Amino acid sequence: MIDFERKYVFMLNPKCVSRFLFENINCIQSLKHFSSLLKNKKLNPHHLKMEDVINLIKLHGHNPRDFEYFVLIRHPVERLISSLKYSEFDKNWLPKYFGNDTITFYDSSPEKVDSYKKKYNLINTFYNKKRDENYDINEYVRDGYNRTSVFRAHPLPLNEFMILDQDYKINVFKLEEIEKFLELLKSKNYRTKNIKCKVNSADYNKEKELSVITDETKSKIREIFAEDYKYYED
């Protein structure tokens, strides 16, 4: 979400309470322009990566280096489990929100969408999940993570979601310490409708999901999310 007036950007990082940010911060007067962007599906900013946000800022005649960027991250293991349970993938690794090309993919250009569908033989294919089709975290990381990386709610590592190596003003907050982020909002005179945050929109037994994770999966997650783990080292 872009506050053009104050030159702040609140990134909607998938599976890091982005719904909370959208529903609460978006009510502020200086963010009204963001709502108008949402009405244009070609410019739908939900879960846009930083490179795309920068293009939006330039499109409106501003210098993206004049802005300050804020992003919430989440422990990678719990974030992936949340993504898995939220998406409810079917046998073709299609998420439940699959179907509307303009919001389903990170890159919604017809060429990219058609290329993905052809690659996995998904022409004229629709989401179709059977009751007994339930992947665990190991299957997701091994078989589904890369394949589903084109979808907009896919949890990208921090270094792919943000631009970290070009001296932009970026502030990273851990979801597990969201009170620090809320204090920052307060210090900048933002008012939220509700400071209570539901971390998971999908209901599941976290302990049960964690109990099946293998050491191989943990190692792979640490490899993928190496940048994120810098904030979670003891």
Side-chain angles (χ1 to χ4, degrees), residues 157-188:
L158 185 62
N159 56 301
E160 292 185 25
F161 189 65
M162 305 295 291
I163 299 175
L164 303 176
D165 57 354
Q166 297 184 25
D167 297 324
Y168 283 98
K169 293 176 284 187
I170 297 174
N171 301 275
V172 179
F173 291 85
K174 293 161 61 175
L175 174 59
E176 293 81 1
E177 299 174 353
I178 195 172
E179 65 278 357
K180 294 182 180 179
F181 178 72
L182 295 174
E183 282 298 317
L184 177 134
L185 291 180
K186 183 178 179 181
S187 71
K188 295 185 179 297

Side-chain angles (χ1 to χ4, degrees), residues 108-158:
S108 59
S109 64
E111 297 80 8
K112 292 288 186 180
V113 174
D114 289 343
S115 175
Y116 176 81
K117 289 182 176 180
K118 289 177 182 177
K119 180 178 180 180
Y120 293 108
N121 193 27
L122 297 175
I123 305 299
N124 297 322
T125 298
F126 300 93
Y127 175 76
N128 184 26
K129 184 180 185 301
K130 300 295 191 298
R131 186 183 296 267
D132 60 348
E133 292 173 349
N134 292 299
Y135 299 110
D136 66 23
I137 183 63
N138 304 302
E139 294 168 312
Y140 181 34
V141 173
R142 184 186 68 235
D143 304 323
Y145 181 80
N146 287 332
R147 176 165 175 168
T148 60
S149 62
V150 297
F151 298 123
R152 182 157 295 189
H154 179 77
L156 291 169
L158 185 62

